[in-house]
Amino acid sequence: MTRDPRYDILFEPVRIGPLVARNRFYQVPHCNGMGYRDASALAAMRGMKAEGGWAVVCTEMVEIHHTADVAPYVELRLWSDQDIPMLARIAGSIHAHGGLAGIELCHSGYTANNLWTREVPIAASPMPTASYFNDPVQARGMDKEDIRNLRRAHRKAALRAREAGFDLIYVYAGHGLGIFQHFLSRATNFRTDEYGGSLANRARLLREVIEDTKDAVGGSCAVPVRIAMHEFQGAAGLEPAEVEDAIAMMAELPDLWDLSLSDWSKDSQTSRFAEEGFQEPHIRGVKKLTSKPVVGVGRYTSPDTMVRVIRQGIMDMIGAARPSIADPFLPRKIEEGRLDDIRECIGCNVCVTHDYTMTPLRCTQNPAMGEEWRRGWHPETIRPREADGHVLIIGAGPAGLEAGRALGQRGYRVTIADKASEPGGRVSRESRLPGLSAWARVRDWRLLQLRKLPNVSLYLESDMSAETAVETGADHILVTTGATWLRQLTGRYFTAPIAFAAACDVLTPDDLMAGKRPGARDVVLFDDDHYYMGGVLAELLVKEDYQVTLVTPAAVASAYTKASLEQKAIQARLLKLGVKIIANQAVAGLFPDHVTLSCVFSGAETALAAGAAVLVTSRQPDDGLWRALVQQGVATSRAGDCFGPGTIAAAVHAGRRFAEEFGLPPRDFLELPFRREVTALS
């Protein structure tokens, strides 16, 4: 297939200072939970992006000094010459596939707690530090000597980055995480000297560091600036008009402007709260201020939208983090005319959650993400089968579809059967809930790929028993029949079952997704799952005119979504819709006209009137068919929620893992199924 001429503009080269990018695809810096701990895995992941056609591939934030320590988060470090070989491996991996390597040098100011180094944090002005854990730490205000030392540290880090082989060396003033943004913003700069007060004064340090970096490495490296266009704090913080004024003051100084929003939750909004291109209103005014290339993001997956923002003069290069994670080969697929092969980002932010949990990056759409080095997986290729074989997969949910697709790609004959009238399993059900329609892409992409594989067949409305499964004559049977939400209080708070006899109308998420509704208008929703499901079901019911009270043992609604950057947005929406939220309480009993609440601190119980209850507690694997097959001595396996209920991303990964490992000799339980990097002691 050949490229559609409409998209030729996306493949024009772009000059960035002394460099030329081969096209307009720019993987902006993004975190990944690997950092200095998993350097080889990180290098392989970045190299995969370059192989997929991204002209520029950048690191995550890189701490420039031991006073920039953001532990426990695992980012990259460039504290000394010892860090150069690790970073050189990353740059080399990008260069091996023709990409330009960018590095985001960062000092996080008052958002670096220095918990590992035990240094006193520094800031534009004295203030408590900002952290996920609200650490009891305060940052001291910087004096003139501190500012001079910060400039020296940044310059030295730039020189080390050039030595490591990087082509683009960032000055970072974005996401509320860069100290140069802290100086620029009235929300964090209360100084009265030449570095505070007027916009020109607040922008002084940013200008000085750009000049320092250009002087140090500008002859051979490009110097981009990543800047926050909006802090969403009203006049107390940065707004687009003021940031545009700051950019105009130094419009031609850097080699590229990389535009973002602040904080990170605004910059990486989920599809539940923002559409593709959501940043455009905040960044569209910058291009007219500078002749230098402008990069922006907006979870772009449509090449038509990419062309539009280029032609409208909003940006010169298409920045992407999450779309490059979902499909590292997005540029090549556009170039080769394979648009239907693009794995579009669903905007769920499961990738972000693993930076917060300090664990390797993963993706719902792309199960190979983070596994390029650890397991040797490739997002586009997989080894061919070693022998002929027929695999029957029972269950066409995310695990079953991915396993069938990958096994089919390997060359096996695959039959997928599902008792439902539509494929997709939980993905189809959940994508009909408020705000989750983009999640259907997980199903749709796999169905499209399956249609291209003549050796894979899909049969719906096929309720398989152990006997009928065996009658197919398959060499191996994979059971991916999912899991069922419990109609019980058993979950994280109450780990043992609690019996209840006479109770109000009790429903589960499965009931609501199947179309059943409470028999009473006053509903208590008990969320002991803490991810998206409780909040989205509360939204569903309140929009249908139910009076909803969300009860949670956590301190906030949908507590885990702090890690996906959407908890505040979820709680704000629920409150606006009229959902009452009762935190730090557990539903301990169910009765015909009320529920009993138990305080998580004191255990004190109170009654709450309710005619119906929705229990979002825990799930039980639907593994009865697998157990029946095992009893018959059939060659069988299970994967996905049927094996261990988890996220959709975990189910997709399980399907890919089964396909990758099928046909290999059995692995001993004591043998690691992946590689890991272990520090060599000197």
Side-chain angles (χ1 to χ4, degrees), residues 1-14 21-25 303-304 306-308 310-311 316 318 331 333-337 339:
M1 301 178 69
T2 57
R3 183 173 78 219
D4 188 321
R6 290 178 299 168
Y7 307 134
D8 287 349
I9 192 172
L10 299 176
F11 294 91
E12 296 173 348
V14 178
R22 57 184 170 180
N23 58 45
R24 296 183 185 269
F25 292 95
D304 293 304
M306 298 174 190
V307 169
R308 175 184 61 78
I310 298 297
R311 294 200 181 280
D316 299 289
I318 305 299
K333 290 174 181 177
I334 297 174
E335 187 171 27
E336 295 169 1
L339 302 189

Side-chain angles (χ1 to χ4, degrees), residues 31 36 61-63 65-77 79 106-117 130-133 135 177 355 358:
C31 298
Y36 62 83
M61 53 191 280
V62 179
E63 302 165 8
H65 190 258
H66 55 274
T67 58
D69 166 33
V70 297
Y73 299 107
V74 187
E75 313 299 341
L76 285 169
R77 288 173 173 169
W79 295 357
C106 179
H107 195 297
S108 294
Y110 82 104
T111 65
N113 283 266
N114 295 332
L115 297 179
W116 195 88
T117 62
S131 74
Y132 186 82
F133 302 102
D135 299 289
L177 299 173
D355 186 60
M358 291 76 83

Side-chain angles (χ1 to χ4, degrees), residues 18 23 36 226 228 239 245 301 355 366 370 419 449 482 536 571 581 620 652:
N23 58 45
Y36 62 83
R226 198 176 202 188
E239 295 181 293
D245 288 343
T301 61
D355 186 60
N366 175 16
K419 65 182 180 181
Q449 300 305 310
V536 81
Q571 186 138 343
I581 299 172
Q620 180 172 322
V652 173

Side-chain angles (χ1 to χ4, degrees), residues 49-127:
K49 307 278 193 78
E51 182 183 342
W54 296 88
V56 178
V57 178
C58 299
T59 67
E60 63 270 44
M61 53 191 280
V62 179
E63 302 165 8
I64 64 169
H65 190 258
H66 55 274
T67 58
D69 166 33
V70 297
Y73 299 107
V74 187
E75 313 299 341
L76 285 169
R77 288 173 173 169
L78 193 45
W79 295 357
S80 70
D81 291 349
Q82 287 180 301
D83 298 306
I84 293 174
M86 172 182 64
L87 290 164
R89 178 170 296 186
I90 298 169
S93 183
I94 297 168
H95 291 155
H97 297 285
L100 296 174
I103 183 169
E104 184 178 67
L105 302 182
C106 179
H107 195 297
S108 294
Y110 82 104
T111 65
N113 283 266
N114 295 332
L115 297 179
W116 195 88
T117 62
R118 303 182 72 169
E119 298 288 342
V120 176
I122 58 175
S125 298
M127 63 183 63

Side-chain angles (χ1 to χ4, degrees), residues 240-467:
E242 185 176 43
V243 179
E244 287 178 14
D245 288 343
I247 290 173
M249 293 176 183
M250 52 190 101
E252 302 302 306
L253 192 54
D255 296 308
L256 177 143
W257 289 97
D258 181 347
L259 310 180
S260 65
L261 302 180
S262 181
D263 60 11
W264 191 13
S265 65
K266 295 293 193 295
D267 200 48
S268 294
Q269 296 182 52
T270 63
S271 57
R272 186 172 169 184
F273 295 98
E275 299 292 333
E276 180 182 33
F278 65 91
Q279 296 203 6
E280 290 177 31
H282 309 294
I283 68 175
R284 64 172 60 252
V286 173
K287 188 69 194 89
K288 68 178 182 291
L289 302 175
T290 178
S291 66
K292 299 302 177 73
V294 170
V295 174
V297 298
R299 209 174 63 248
Y300 293 110
T301 61
S302 165
D304 293 304
T305 305
M306 298 174 190
V307 169
R308 175 184 61 78
V309 297
I310 298 297
R311 294 200 181 280
Q312 289 182 352
I314 297 174
M315 60 188 75
D316 299 289
M317 302 187 78
I318 305 299
R322 292 172 293 174
S324 75
I325 294 167
D327 199 333
F329 279 68
L330 185 152
R332 275 184 56 176
K333 290 174 181 177
I334 297 174
E335 187 171 27
E336 295 169 1
R338 299 188 292 120
L339 302 189
D340 58 358
D341 287 334
I342 295 172
R343 280 187 306 274
E344 291 185 278
C345 172
I346 70 171
C348 68
N349 276 9
V350 76
C351 52
V352 175
T353 67
H354 287 275
D355 186 60
Y356 274 95
T357 57
M358 291 76 83
T359 51
L361 177 68
R362 60 212 64 188
C363 175
T364 301
Q365 276 283 58
N366 175 16
M369 179 51 55
E371 301 287 24
E372 299 88 352
W373 181 83
R374 293 199 333 154
R375 297 182 191 267
W377 293 4
H378 193 286
E380 302 301 314
T381 62
I382 190 170
R383 77 182 193 287
R385 70 180 192 274
E386 289 82 12
D388 292 339
H390 174 206
V391 181
L392 170 64
I393 300 174
I394 304 175
L401 291 178
E402 175 62 17
R405 182 206 65 78
L407 286 168
Q409 187 180 7
R410 289 189 61 193
Y412 286 102
R413 178 187 166 205
V414 180
T415 301
I416 307 174
D418 197 298
K419 65 182 180 181
S421 60
E422 66 172 344
R426 64 179 287 195
V427 171
S428 293
R429 296 189 295 273
E430 293 184 22
S431 64
R432 288 191 283 266
L433 295 173
L436 303 186
S437 61
W439 293 21
R441 292 173 175 178
V442 175
R443 172 200 64 203
D444 295 344
W445 182 82
R446 284 160 179 82
L447 290 175
L448 190 149
Q449 300 305 310
L450 290 176
R451 287 195 287 270
K452 297 180 180 183
L453 295 169
N455 52 321
V456 180
S457 302
L458 172 62
Y459 298 95
L460 300 175
E461 299 180 330
S462 299
D463 193 358
M464 305 291 289
S465 65
E467 290 71 28

Side-chain angles (χ1 to χ4, degrees), residues 541-671:
L541 290 173
V542 76
K543 286 180 175 178
E544 296 180 1
D545 296 325
Y546 289 89
Q547 288 77 52
V548 181
T549 300
L550 188 152
V551 177
T552 176
V556 293
S558 303
Y560 183 74
T561 61
K562 289 181 180 180
S564 58
L565 304 178
E566 53 187 337
Q567 192 282 323
K568 288 183 179 179
I570 290 170
Q571 186 138 343
R573 176 175 287 181
L574 294 180
L575 292 173
K576 184 176 181 180
L577 289 170
V579 174
K580 182 179 180 181
I581 299 172
I582 299 179
N584 300 315
Q585 297 277 342
V587 173
L590 301 167
F591 299 92
D593 60 353
H594 72 280
V595 301
T596 300
L597 304 185
S598 175
C599 174
V600 300
F601 303 114
S602 68
E605 293 191 350
T606 55
L608 177 65
V614 175
L615 304 183
V616 187
T617 52
S618 60
R619 290 178 288 159
Q620 180 172 322
D622 293 332
D623 59 2
L625 177 57
W626 173 80
R627 294 183 185 280
L629 289 167
V630 170
Q631 286 183 349
Q632 294 193 21
V634 178
T636 184
S637 304
R638 54 183 170 161
D641 290 340
C642 173
F643 186 38
T647 62
I648 296 173
V652 173
H653 184 274
R656 174 65 181 264
R657 181 176 177 180
F658 175 83
E660 287 276 357
E661 297 178 354
F662 184 69
L664 295 177
R667 188 189 302 273
D668 187 275
F669 178 74
L670 300 182
E671 183 182 354

Side-chain angles (χ1 to χ4, degrees), residues 144-219:
K144 300 293 182 58
E145 183 66 20
D146 292 322
I147 291 174
R148 285 190 290 271
N149 283 334
L150 175 62
R151 291 176 60 183
R152 289 175 55 226
H154 197 280
R155 181 187 182 93
K156 184 63 176 179
L159 292 169
R160 287 173 173 145
R162 183 178 65 182
E163 183 178 346
F166 284 92
D167 307 293
L168 294 87
I169 299 177
Y170 265 79
V171 176
Y172 182 43
H175 299 116
L177 299 173
I179 197 168
F180 307 124
Q181 178 186 343
H182 305 158
F183 270 83
L184 187 62
S185 173
R186 288 187 301 273
T188 44
N189 184 343
F190 317 117
R191 303 175 71 95
T192 56
D193 61 7
E194 66 267 36
Y195 289 97
S198 69
L199 177 61
N201 280 357
R202 286 182 278 120
R204 184 183 306 277
L205 181 58
L206 177 59
R207 171 187 283 275
E208 290 174 343
V209 173
I210 297 171
E211 291 172 341
D212 292 342
T213 309
K214 291 278 287 186
D215 180 67
V217 300

